[in-house]
Amino acid sequence: MEEQVILTEKELLEDGFGDHPFYHCLVAEVPSDQRTSEGYTVIAFAMYYFTYDPWIGKLLYLEDFYVMEQFRGFGIGSQILKVLSETAVRTRCSSMHFIVAENNKKSIEFYKRRGAADLSYEEGWRLFAIDKERLMKMSAK
């Protein structure tokens, strides 16, 4: 999956920590004496941003959410989701949206246990993307 990354570190930092951040992050860390065998102290993160739906208003969009395998089951993911929920309520969002890979059954169950509705089944929505090459083609017409 790493081979699919086209974003540079510079772009990531500018987009999230520049004058006008496009996204926000939450991280969970452990003390340095509890670091992972690979030497990491950041053991979980959530990347999110705000978007708008003309039918329901402001949304918090959860773009990415990950807890390292060895730290799952300790409530870290639940705590991050709680902070995201508090952020959504505080900023007057009507909903939090996100996508989950069809084969990620553990995550699907994690969200369902917390009341998430699967809109792909309930409302029939499909996710589409137009890649950069095609965007450039259309914009040149």
Side-chain angles (χ1 to χ4, degrees), residues 12-128:
L12 185 69
L13 290 172
E14 285 175 1
D15 292 345
F17 302 94
D19 292 336
H20 303 285
F22 189 76
Y23 66 86
H24 308 277
C25 284
L26 298 173
V27 296
E29 294 182 274
V30 293
S32 58
D33 63 330
Q34 295 176 22
R35 70 181 64 231
T36 67
S37 55
E38 298 87 9
Y40 300 117
T41 57
V42 174
I43 49 100
F45 77 95
M47 176 188 278
Y48 67 97
Y49 55 87
F50 297 98
T51 186
Y52 203 85
D53 181 309
W55 289 9
I56 61 175
K58 194 187 312 187
L59 304 170
L60 186 150
Y61 190 86
L62 178 56
E63 178 60 39
D64 210 349
F65 186 21
Y66 181 75
V67 178
M68 294 178 92
E69 188 99 28
Q70 69 229 51
F71 292 96
R72 294 179 187 169
F74 296 107
I76 296 165
S78 295
Q79 184 60 35
I80 290 174
L81 203 58
K82 179 180 188 298
V83 173
L84 289 167
S85 298
E86 291 167 353
T87 301
V89 169
R90 185 178 65 253
T91 56
R92 298 178 294 108
C93 291
S94 62
S95 185
M96 181 187 335
H97 286 194
F98 46 89
I99 59 172
V100 180
E102 188 71 38
N103 64 352
N104 193 343
K105 304 295 184 202
K106 285 184 178 182
S107 290
I108 291 169
E109 289 309 311
F110 173 83
Y111 294 121
K112 282 184 171 180
R113 284 193 308 270
R114 285 149 183 86
D118 185 345
L119 298 183
S120 55
Y121 291 112
E122 292 187 18
E123 296 184 14
W125 292 101
R126 290 182 162 215
L127 177 67
F128 287 87

Side-chain angles (χ1 to χ4, degrees), residues 130 133-141:
I130 300 174
E133 180 183 333
R134 287 180 176 81
L135 288 172
M136 292 174 71
K137 223 181 226 182
M138 282 192 286
S139 69
K141 289 182 180 181

